[in-house]
Amino acid sequence: MSAKNETQIITATAVIDSQALLNNYQQIKKQVPQSKILAVLKANGYGHGLERIAKLLSKNTNTDAFGVARLDEALLLRAAGIVQPIVLLEGVFNQADLPIVAVNDLQIVIHNKAQLDALIKITPKKLLNKQIKVWLKIDTGMHRLGIASNDFDYFYQQLQTSNNVQTPITLMSHLACADDQNNNLTNIQLALFEQLTSHLNEPKSCANSAGICAWQQSHYDWLRPGLMLYGVSPLLNADHDRKNDAKALAIKPVMTLQASLIALRQVNAGESVGYGANWTSKQHTTIGIIAIGYGDGYPRHAENGTPVLINDRIVPLVGRVAMDMITVDLGHKSIDRIGDIATLWGKGLPVEVIAKHASTIAYELLCNIKPRVQITVH
């Protein structure tokens, strides 16, 4: 057989659609044109590649800033040539990190007293006589990170009068239940934020992805899109409610996870498949084995019946997910062939749907993509 006719097999591969990413960015700008965008890239760009996503946005959009969780993520972006403002969304945890923040022109979130003290007490000389841009995070009801509302005036005044702080100070909070449009906690949080900050002429930020989509009053000066930037609906019940799904939001999946069929076999009625024999066929059928498993980041706890897209039709996952492969029921009339490409999530099969079948959330599936997964960018 000549090389031209050889079947091409791909193991787990994440196809990154750069045009989908740019579409999603433009949809956010179209929806809220008056606000600046801080694109959230933490957790390796939600599994899409930290530097890859930053470079695509930096080159092709007017993204105003990038948000990461930790200092090492920010330093990777600076080393990759990213010049836009970078915000450390958890701030820094050691005073010794502040000179690194200063020299790399990074911005930090302040959310507790230890961080405040570290910043205002460090000598300007150690900061190379540079001031640091600060985002002050207020806990309005998430009860995770953020200063208590009755401490706001103290923190704000301390930052305002410190020679180590660059003004203006951006005031921010984080919404706990914005994905649920029927939960009144968002209104309570926004009302408290307004009460504390409305008299101050400072930039403000509250809207995460769900806030952008569902809570116009949260938009303020800065948006912080994460999940929706990658083409995944942040709203509750997006796996089955068409009003809340990605199509309704005009966003497109940036990652499509694929792998080839590597084997086919006939299974008779009464025969089981895979570890634990937890699925038994009720009829004669064709089983397909696909080159992806939990070693690649496909969810170990995906249940029997989890949909897989192959040759423009949905087929069910059957048997337990293994480290390197999964099995699907192709049906007794299957004409699928070794080498055919299966889509595990992405274009044509929303990751939100797979998350539902695996009793998890889309965030976890995207962030769990493993290093051995091949990446292609289109």
Side-chain angles (χ1 to χ4, degrees):
M1 182 182 292
S2 67
K4 290 184 179 180
N5 295 323
E6 289 180 358
T7 300
Q8 297 297 309
I9 300 290
I10 66 167
T11 54
T13 300
V15 180
I16 304 300
D17 186 340
S18 57
Q19 291 305 307
L21 177 70
L22 302 182
N23 168 81
N24 301 340
Y25 175 89
Q26 293 301 332
Q27 288 300 322
I28 296 168
K29 286 299 293 183
K30 181 179 178 181
Q31 184 173 340
V32 196
Q34 74 277 10
S35 298
K36 293 181 178 180
I37 291 181
L38 182 152
V40 180
L41 306 183
K42 59 186 180 178
N44 194 33
Y46 287 50
H48 295 69
L50 175 71
E51 295 147 286
R52 179 183 303 114
I53 297 300
K55 287 179 179 180
L56 285 170
L57 290 173
S58 180
K59 180 180 179 181
N60 298 289
T61 73
N62 294 318
T63 303
D64 300 285
F66 294 113
V68 297
R70 296 169 187 166
L71 182 57
D72 59 347
E73 294 173 322
L75 296 179
L76 284 173
L77 291 181
R78 285 287 185 251
I82 300 301
V83 298
Q84 281 95 336
I86 300 173
V87 182
L88 302 180
L89 295 171
E90 294 178 0
V92 295
F93 312 118
N94 303 291
Q95 191 179 61
D97 291 332
L98 290 172
I100 302 173
V101 167
V103 76
N104 286 280
D105 195 24
L106 306 177
Q107 302 181 16
I108 60 172
V109 169
I110 295 288
H111 56 77
N112 63 41
K113 182 72 161 49
Q115 291 178 323
L116 175 69
D117 290 343
L119 178 57
I120 64 176
K121 291 180 180 179
I122 192 171
T123 64
K125 185 177 180 180
K126 287 187 176 180
L127 291 181
L128 306 178
N129 292 309
K130 293 185 176 182
Q131 293 181 318
I132 292 178
K133 180 72 175 175
V134 169
W135 297 52
L136 178 58
K137 188 167 191 174
I138 310 163
D139 177 14
T140 56
M142 180 74 143
H143 302 316
R144 195 176 60 178
L145 298 183
I147 63 169
S149 58
N150 56 8
D151 290 331
F152 172 71
D153 289 338
Y154 170 77
F155 272 73
Y156 179 69
Q157 290 301 323
Q158 289 290 304
L159 292 171
Q160 275 285 96
T161 57
S162 172
N163 292 327
N164 293 334
V165 176
Q166 179 188 142
T167 56
I169 298 163
T170 304
L171 308 176
M172 68 182 296
S173 190
H174 195 55
L175 302 175
C177 299
D179 59 338
D180 183 354
Q181 297 167 74
N182 296 316
N183 194 315
N184 195 48
L185 179 57
T186 301
N187 286 320
I188 294 170
Q189 286 191 260
L190 292 172
L192 178 56
F193 187 78
E194 273 289 298
Q195 177 187 330
L196 294 171
T197 68
S198 60
H199 64 289
L200 298 172
N201 186 26
E202 303 280 14
K204 301 177 179 69
S205 177
C206 280
N208 52 10
S209 289
I212 294 167
C213 296
W215 303 88
Q216 183 176 357
Q217 64 271 42
S218 75
H219 290 168
Y220 291 109
D221 303 286
W222 281 93
L223 310 175
R224 309 193 307 270
L227 194 65
M228 72 177 300
L229 193 61
Y230 304 99
V232 182
S233 172
L235 300 178
L236 208 62
N237 302 320
D239 59 296
H240 65 272
D241 187 340
R242 292 187 177 181
K243 294 182 296 182
N244 288 350
D245 67 14
K247 187 175 181 180
L249 300 175
I251 55 178
K252 301 176 181 180
V254 177
M255 177 195 294
T256 297
L257 185 64
Q258 298 181 324
S260 290
L261 278 173
I262 59 170
L264 302 166
R265 65 175 302 122
Q266 300 302 306
V267 172
N268 294 317
E271 292 183 332
S272 60
V273 173
Y275 289 118
N278 78 333
W279 180 83
T280 301
S281 183
K282 295 181 179 179
Q283 61 186 3
H284 178 80
T285 192
T286 301
I287 296 297
I289 295 85
I290 301 171
I292 193 168
Y294 63 77
D296 304 291
Y298 192 80
R300 168 70 175 78
H301 297 293
E303 62 189 5
N304 286 324
T306 299
V308 174
L309 179 64
I310 186 166
N311 291 326
D312 297 320
R313 76 188 193 284
I314 294 294
V315 297
L317 174 79
V318 295
R320 287 183 182 169
V321 174
M323 184 181 294
D324 311 303
M325 64 190 88
I326 62 171
T327 50
V328 294
D329 183 359
L330 297 171
H332 70 282
K333 295 182 179 180
S334 165
I335 58 172
D336 306 288
R337 298 181 178 183
I338 291 175
D340 288 352
I341 303 298
T343 294
L344 291 311
W345 67 64
K347 189 175 182 181
L349 182 58
V351 68
E352 302 95 305
V353 173
I354 309 307
K356 183 74 171 181
H357 282 272
S359 300
T360 185
I361 56 176
Y363 297 83
E364 183 179 27
L365 296 187
L366 296 175
C367 293
N368 276 352
I369 291 296
K370 299 298 191 289
R372 76 173 183 175
V373 174
Q374 301 296 308
I375 306 293
T376 63
V377 181
H378 292 173

